[in-house]
Amino acid sequence: MKKIISLAVVMLLMVACQKDNSQEEVNAINKTQKENWLKADLNTEFASSQKQVTAYLFPTEELDKLVNTPDVEEVRFVLGYADNTIQIEVTGVDKNGKKLGSVESTVLKDISVQNNLVELKKLTVNTTKKRSLLLNEHILVPFYAFAWIDAWQEKLSSVSDLDEVLSYEGTRFRYYSLEAGVVKEMTSKKSTNVGLFLGLNPKGKVTTILINLDKNNGIKKASLTSKNDVDDVYDGTRPVPPFGDPKEPQ
């Protein structure tokens, strides 16, 4: 009997060690991806691979838990690099920049969804809706959202100045930051996913655009009866650098 108990204890310890090792491997991979992004060669191979990416999907339920974690005041969309493609995860941090949690994204490669983005050109923002100053600061007209996303796709087709549009004064963007309150507003709509789209803003820099998506990854309307109003689209995320401390742990 003692031998059986001892064997069981040994097996449990082995399983625990395997889990610890597995977690360490995952963390090491994430760190490597972040480091690889800072030195990645943004060549034609990258452009071809990245052009296939429609969006980065964050499950709304998981994102909601993250932004409602006590003391989370800011979210950061952290950039990594693997398989010639930008990888993105979102982390929640407190006022001191301490990481309190994270949510990984799923890379969506769906040409039908990409083609349906043209619908943004026809959608409007509900101007009668009362919003906070914070939300008004980051809200984006759907027409502009489409134009920016389309401009990024055009830039990938031309394969020119890719380092320039993804950097600040020669230093590549490490992450984009945004107040948690904006994401809380999005997750309150109970969409299936929050889609993060990359776009090229009027300053000629890559930015992030957040859009609520339904279960088919279509653009979520503000209501079932509305044909033209869309759930609010947000932008205005701050790239680091120049905002924030690029040496700060992510």
Side-chain angles (χ1 to χ4, degrees), residues 39-81:
K39 58 186 179 183
D41 185 6
L42 305 186
N43 53 21
T44 54
E45 196 171 3
F46 159 75
S48 178
S49 180
Q50 189 65 42
K51 194 169 176 58
Q52 298 176 41
V53 176
T54 303
Y56 298 85
L57 304 181
F58 294 95
T60 301
E61 187 174 345
E62 293 182 32
L63 206 53
D64 189 60
K65 289 179 181 177
L66 177 67
V67 294
N68 283 289
T69 298
D71 298 325
V72 167
E73 294 192 5
E74 180 183 279
V75 294
R76 295 175 176 176
F77 299 100
V78 183
L79 306 182
Y81 191 77

Coordinates of all heavy atoms in Angstrom, one line a residue, residues 39-81:
K39 N 13.7 43.3 -34.2 CA 14.8 43.2 -35.2 C 14.3 42.5 -36.5 O 15.1 42.2 -37.3 CB 15.9 42.4 -34.6 CG 15.5 41.0 -34.1 CD 16.7 40.3 -33.4 CE 16.2 38.9 -32.9 NZ 17.3 38.2 -32.1
A40 N 13.0 42.3 -36.6 CA 12.5 41.6 -37.8 C 12.7 42.4 -39.1 O 12.6 43.7 -39.1 CB 11.0 41.4 -37.6
D41 N 13.0 41.7 -40.1 CA 13.2 42.3 -41.4 C 11.9 42.5 -42.1 O 11.3 41.5 -42.5 CB 14.2 41.5 -42.3 CG 14.6 42.1 -43.6 OD1 14.2 43.3 -43.8 OD2 15.2 41.5 -44.4
L42 N 11.4 43.7 -42.2 CA 10.1 43.9 -42.8 C 10.2 44.0 -44.4 O 10.0 45.0 -45.0 CB 9.5 45.2 -42.3 CG 9.4 45.3 -40.7 CD1 8.6 46.5 -40.3 CD2 8.7 44.0 -40.2
N43 N 10.4 42.8 -44.9 CA 10.7 42.7 -46.4 C 9.4 42.2 -47.1 O 8.3 42.2 -46.5 CB 11.8 41.7 -46.6 CG 11.6 40.4 -45.9 OD1 10.5 40.0 -45.5 ND2 12.7 39.6 -45.6
T44 N 9.6 41.8 -48.3 CA 8.5 41.3 -49.1 C 7.8 40.1 -48.6 O 6.6 39.9 -48.7 CB 8.9 41.0 -50.6 OG1 10.0 40.1 -50.6 CG2 9.3 42.3 -51.3
E45 N 8.6 39.2 -47.9 CA 8.1 38.0 -47.3 C 7.2 38.4 -46.2 O 6.1 37.8 -46.0 CB 9.3 37.1 -46.8 CG 8.8 35.7 -46.5 CD 10.0 34.8 -46.3 OE1 11.2 35.3 -46.3 OE2 9.8 33.6 -46.1
F46 N 7.6 39.3 -45.4 CA 6.7 39.8 -44.3 C 5.4 40.4 -44.9 O 4.3 40.1 -44.4 CB 7.4 40.9 -43.5 CG 6.5 41.8 -42.7 CD1 5.9 41.3 -41.5 CD2 6.3 43.1 -43.1 CE1 5.0 42.1 -40.8 CE2 5.4 43.9 -42.3 CZ 4.8 43.4 -41.2
A47 N 5.6 41.3 -45.8 CA 4.4 42.0 -46.4 C 3.4 41.0 -47.0 O 2.2 41.1 -46.8 CB 4.9 43.0 -47.5
S48 N 3.9 40.0 -47.7 CA 3.0 39.0 -48.3 C 2.3 38.2 -47.2 O 1.1 37.9 -47.3 CB 3.9 38.0 -49.1 OG 3.0 37.0 -49.6
S49 N 3.0 37.8 -46.1 CA 2.3 37.1 -45.0 C 1.4 38.0 -44.2 O 0.2 37.6 -43.9 CB 3.4 36.6 -44.1 OG 2.8 35.9 -43.0
Q50 N 1.8 39.2 -43.9 CA 0.9 40.1 -43.2 C -0.3 40.5 -43.9 O -1.4 40.8 -43.3 CB 1.7 41.3 -42.8 CG 1.0 42.3 -41.8 CD 0.8 41.6 -40.4 OE1 1.7 40.9 -39.9 NE2 -0.4 41.8 -39.8
K51 N -0.2 40.6 -45.2 CA -1.4 41.0 -46.0 C -2.5 40.0 -45.9 O -3.7 40.3 -46.2 CB -0.9 41.1 -47.5 CG -1.9 41.9 -48.4 CD -1.3 42.2 -49.7 CE -2.4 42.8 -50.6 NZ -3.0 44.1 -50.1
Q52 N -2.2 38.8 -45.5 CA -3.2 37.7 -45.4 C -4.0 37.9 -44.1 O -5.1 37.3 -43.9 CB -2.6 36.3 -45.5 CG -1.9 36.0 -46.8 CD -1.3 34.7 -46.7 OE1 -1.8 33.7 -46.2 NE2 -0.1 34.6 -47.3
V53 N -3.5 38.7 -43.2 CA -4.1 38.8 -41.9 C -5.3 39.8 -41.9 O -5.1 41.0 -42.4 CB -3.1 39.3 -40.8 CG1 -3.8 39.6 -39.5 CG2 -2.0 38.3 -40.6
T54 N -6.5 39.4 -41.6 CA -7.6 40.3 -41.6 C -7.7 41.1 -40.3 O -7.8 42.3 -40.2 CB -8.9 39.5 -41.8 OG1 -8.8 38.8 -43.0 CG2 -10.1 40.4 -41.8
A55 N -7.6 40.3 -39.1 CA -7.7 40.9 -37.8 C -7.1 40.0 -36.8 O -6.8 38.9 -37.0 CB -9.2 41.2 -37.5
Y56 N -7.1 40.6 -35.6 CA -6.7 39.8 -34.4 C -7.9 39.7 -33.5 O -8.4 40.8 -33.1 CB -5.5 40.5 -33.7 CG -4.3 40.5 -34.5 CD1 -4.1 41.6 -35.4 CD2 -3.3 39.6 -34.5 CE1 -3.0 41.7 -36.3 CE2 -2.1 39.6 -35.3 CZ -2.0 40.7 -36.2 OH -0.9 40.7 -37.0
L57 N -8.3 38.5 -33.2 CA -9.6 38.4 -32.4 C -9.3 38.1 -30.9 O -8.5 37.3 -30.5 CB -10.4 37.2 -32.9 CG -10.7 37.2 -34.4 CD1 -11.5 35.9 -34.8 CD2 -11.5 38.4 -34.8
F58 N -10.0 38.9 -30.1 CA -9.9 38.8 -28.6 C -11.3 38.4 -28.1 O -12.3 39.2 -28.3 CB -9.5 40.1 -28.0 CG -8.0 40.4 -28.3 CD1 -7.8 41.3 -29.3 CD2 -7.0 39.9 -27.6 CE1 -6.5 41.7 -29.6 CE2 -5.7 40.3 -27.9 CZ -5.4 41.2 -28.9
P59 N -11.5 37.2 -27.5 CA -12.8 36.8 -27.0 C -13.3 37.8 -26.0 O -12.6 38.2 -25.1 CB -12.5 35.5 -26.3 CG -11.3 34.9 -27.0 CD -10.5 36.2 -27.3
T60 N -14.5 38.3 -26.3 CA -15.1 39.4 -25.5 C -15.2 39.0 -24.0 O -14.9 39.8 -23.1 CB -16.5 39.8 -26.0 OG1 -16.4 40.2 -27.3 CG2 -17.1 40.9 -25.2
E61 N -15.5 37.8 -23.7 CA -15.7 37.3 -22.3 C -14.3 37.4 -21.6 O -14.3 37.9 -20.5 CB -16.2 35.9 -22.3 CG -16.5 35.4 -20.9 CD -17.2 34.0 -20.9 OE1 -17.7 33.6 -22.0 OE2 -17.3 33.4 -19.8
E62 N -13.3 37.0 -22.2 CA -11.9 37.0 -21.6 C -11.5 38.4 -21.5 O -10.8 38.8 -20.4 CB -10.9 36.2 -22.4 CG -11.2 34.7 -22.5 CD -10.2 33.9 -23.2 OE1 -9.0 34.4 -23.3 OE2 -10.5 32.9 -23.9
L63 N -11.7 39.2 -22.5 CA -11.3 40.6 -22.4 C -12.0 41.4 -21.3 O -11.5 42.3 -20.6 CB -11.6 41.3 -23.8 CG -10.7 42.5 -24.2 CD1 -9.2 42.2 -24.1 CD2 -11.0 42.9 -25.6
D64 N -13.3 41.0 -21.1 CA -14.1 41.7 -20.1 C -13.6 41.4 -18.7 O -13.5 42.3 -17.8 CB -15.6 41.2 -20.2 CG -16.5 42.0 -19.3 OD1 -16.6 43.2 -19.5 OD2 -17.1 41.4 -18.4
K65 N -13.1 40.1 -18.5 CA -12.6 39.8 -17.2 C -11.3 40.5 -17.0 O -11.0 41.0 -15.8 CB -12.3 38.3 -17.2 CG -13.5 37.4 -17.1 CD -13.2 35.9 -17.1 CE -14.4 35.0 -17.1 NZ -14.1 33.6 -17.1
L66 N -10.5 40.7 -18.0 CA -9.2 41.4 -17.9 C -9.4 42.9 -17.5 O -8.8 43.3 -16.5 CB -8.4 41.3 -19.2 CG -7.1 42.1 -19.2 CD1 -6.1 41.5 -18.3 CD2 -6.5 42.2 -20.6
V67 N -10.3 43.6 -18.2 CA -10.4 45.0 -17.9 C -11.2 45.3 -16.6 O -11.2 46.4 -16.1 CB -11.1 45.7 -19.1 CG1 -10.2 45.7 -20.3 CG2 -12.5 45.2 -19.4
N68 N -11.9 44.3 -16.1 CA -12.6 44.4 -14.8 C -11.8 43.8 -13.7 O -12.3 43.8 -12.6 CB -14.0 43.8 -14.9 CG -15.0 44.6 -15.7 OD1 -15.4 45.7 -15.2 ND2 -15.3 44.2 -16.9
T69 N -10.6 43.4 -13.9 CA -9.7 43.0 -12.9 C -9.3 44.2 -12.0 O -9.0 45.3 -12.5 CB -8.4 42.4 -13.4 OG1 -8.7 41.3 -14.2 CG2 -7.4 42.0 -12.3
P70 N -9.4 44.1 -10.7 CA -9.1 45.2 -9.8 C -7.8 45.8 -10.1 O -6.8 45.1 -10.3 CB -9.1 44.5 -8.4 CG -10.1 43.4 -8.5 CD -9.8 42.9 -9.9
D71 N -7.8 47.2 -10.2 CA -6.6 48.0 -10.4 C -6.1 48.1 -11.8 O -5.1 48.8 -12.1 CB -5.4 47.5 -9.5 CG -5.7 47.6 -8.0 OD1 -6.4 48.6 -7.6 OD2 -5.3 46.8 -7.2
V72 N -6.7 47.4 -12.7 CA -6.3 47.5 -14.1 C -6.8 48.9 -14.7 O -8.0 49.1 -14.7 CB -6.9 46.4 -15.0 CG1 -6.8 46.7 -16.5 CG2 -6.2 45.1 -14.7
E73 N -5.9 49.7 -15.0 CA -6.3 51.1 -15.5 C -6.0 51.3 -17.0 O -6.5 52.1 -17.6 CB -5.5 52.1 -14.7 CG -6.0 52.2 -13.3 CD -5.5 53.4 -12.5 OE1 -4.8 54.3 -13.2 OE2 -5.7 53.5 -11.3
E74 N -5.1 50.4 -17.5 CA -4.7 50.6 -18.9 C -4.5 49.2 -19.6 O -4.2 48.2 -18.9 CB -3.4 51.3 -19.0 CG -2.8 51.6 -20.3 CD -1.4 52.3 -20.3 OE1 -1.4 53.5 -20.1 OE2 -0.4 51.6 -20.3
V75 N -4.8 49.1 -20.9 CA -4.5 47.9 -21.6 C -3.4 48.2 -22.6 O -3.3 49.4 -23.1 CB -5.8 47.3 -22.3 CG1 -6.8 46.8 -21.3 CG2 -6.4 48.3 -23.3
R76 N -2.6 47.2 -22.9 CA -1.5 47.4 -23.9 C -1.6 46.3 -24.9 O -1.7 45.1 -24.6 CB -0.2 47.3 -23.2 CG 0.0 48.5 -22.2 CD 1.3 48.3 -21.4 NE 1.6 49.5 -20.6 CZ 2.6 49.6 -19.8 NH1 3.5 48.6 -19.6 NH2 2.8 50.6 -19.0
F77 N -1.6 46.7 -26.2 CA -1.6 45.7 -27.3 C -0.2 45.5 -27.7 O 0.4 46.4 -28.4 CB -2.5 46.2 -28.4 CG -3.9 46.4 -28.0 CD1 -4.4 47.7 -27.7 CD2 -4.8 45.3 -27.9 CE1 -5.7 47.9 -27.3 CE2 -6.1 45.5 -27.5 CZ -6.6 46.8 -27.2
V78 N 0.4 44.4 -27.2 CA 1.8 44.2 -27.3 C 2.1 43.4 -28.6 O 1.5 42.5 -28.9 CB 2.3 43.4 -26.1 CG1 3.8 43.2 -26.1 CG2 1.9 44.1 -24.8
L79 N 3.2 43.9 -29.3 CA 3.5 43.3 -30.6 C 4.6 42.3 -30.4 O 5.6 42.4 -29.7 CB 4.0 44.4 -31.5 CG 3.1 45.6 -31.7 CD1 3.7 46.6 -32.7 CD2 1.7 45.1 -32.2
G80 N 4.5 41.2 -31.2 CA 5.5 40.1 -31.3 C 5.6 39.8 -32.7 O 5.0 40.4 -33.6
Y81 N 6.5 38.8 -33.0 CA 6.7 38.4 -34.4 C 7.0 36.9 -34.5 O 7.9 36.4 -33.8 CB 7.9 39.2 -34.9 CG 8.2 39.1 -36.4 CD1 7.4 39.8 -37.3 CD2 9.2 38.3 -36.9 CE1 7.6 39.8 -38.6 CE2 9.4 38.2 -38.3 CZ 8.6 39.0 -39.1 OH 8.8 38.9 -40.5

